[in-house]
Amino acid sequence: MKLSQLTAYLESLAPLALQEDYDNSGLIVGQSNMEISQALISLDCTEAVVDEAIATGCQVIISHHPIVFKGLKKFNSKTYVERVVEKAIRNNVAIYAIHTNLDNIMTGVNARICETLGLTNTRILAPKQNLLKKLVTYVPVAQAEQVRKALFHAGAGHIGEYSESSFNVEGTGTFKGSENSNPYVGEPGIRHHEEEMRIETVYPANLESKIIMALVLAHPYEEVAYDLYNLTNQHQQIGSGMIGELEVPMDEAEFLGEVKAAMDCTVIRHTAFTGKRVKKVAVCGGSGGFLLKHAIAAGADVFITADYKYHEFFDAEGKIVIADIGHFESEQFTQQLLCEIIQEKFVNFAIRLTKVNTNPVKYFI
């Protein structure tokens, strides 16, 4: 199939608009119209991973971490980033990254951590704001349903676990077309009164152009009247980190032992135990220190993440146990997650999990 078919599907689940400002998710190397028959899945894209893709005949590498985070000004093989990009281009291997956009969705990286740890009643730890907008439009009563269907099909009307959500109220609209108009109802130059339906529905801001196009195509009027509103509501299914509960509370040492085994950790760096039983657990794959206040506010007993610096451990202040399990360790199961996501949609497409351990951190025990 075309590479664009695969990337379009991935972006339908984890839109690029959901990535953080510093991120560089998406197609980094390659052309969207290139033919692909198999993909290599990896947490990182290193030279060894590119070599593996070449040796196994994979035309695309799907990695969690982008190989390029900032602009490259020279390509002369002096850095590992330059060498990876150069080798991929020379061998016609595409590189696609799905990073913080996969972190920020309800079924993404943090959901897999929660699943691995057996957490239940999970939710987003820090929901994002300013991702939703509201559309208000006016349509003749007879055509209201066709417009609603078009808007819902384009992605409007989702609120949490509910779809096709809208508010509707009838009223009277007026308009007078010019001599050059071609009104759907009424006559040019004469003010017309029409019984109309006011339709209100919310939608993700990144789908705006698609939804407006659907509205215009489905609406019978020559000139479609509509209003767009920015919403500051939190999007409960999009955001950073997750929090959940253990079915059976356990003591802190026992729980960290379970974490070490489940997450395949060599070592866990942690703050002093508080003496409380562990019930609520907050998680964030990768560097999640910025979420500590959210974890404490949510009543978490333990916060599992990575990349904590020495002085940042003091911020626990006896209120919570910070458990740094390592960056690679916290996100390693993202590879299996990506395999499952792709195989569910493309049953006959070949997926390979990399055999390269890309973790740059080694432990001397």
Side-chain angles (χ1 to χ4, degrees), residues 163-189:
S163 61
E164 302 189 8
S165 304
S166 67
F167 180 77
N168 304 267
V169 62
E170 290 188 33
T172 302
T174 66
F175 52 84
K176 181 172 70 173
S178 70
E179 295 179 356
N180 298 321
S181 66
N182 183 26
Y184 175 74
V185 289
E187 299 179 18

Side-chain angles (χ1 to χ4, degrees), residues 70-96:
K70 54 186 178 181
L72 298 177
K73 295 183 178 181
K74 296 179 181 179
F75 290 89
N76 48 32
S77 300
K78 285 189 175 181
T79 69
Y80 79 95
V81 174
E82 292 172 13
R83 291 192 293 272
V84 167
V85 173
E86 290 169 5
K87 181 172 287 190
I89 293 173
R90 282 198 303 268
N91 291 276
N92 201 32
V93 174
I95 300 175
Y96 183 87

Side-chain angles (χ1 to χ4, degrees), residues 100 125 154 183 192 224 231 240 290 293 342 347 350 362:
T100 53
L125 180 60
H192 178 76
V224 181
L231 302 180
S240 303
F290 67 100
K293 290 182 179 180
I342 295 171
V347 180
K362 307 302 177 185

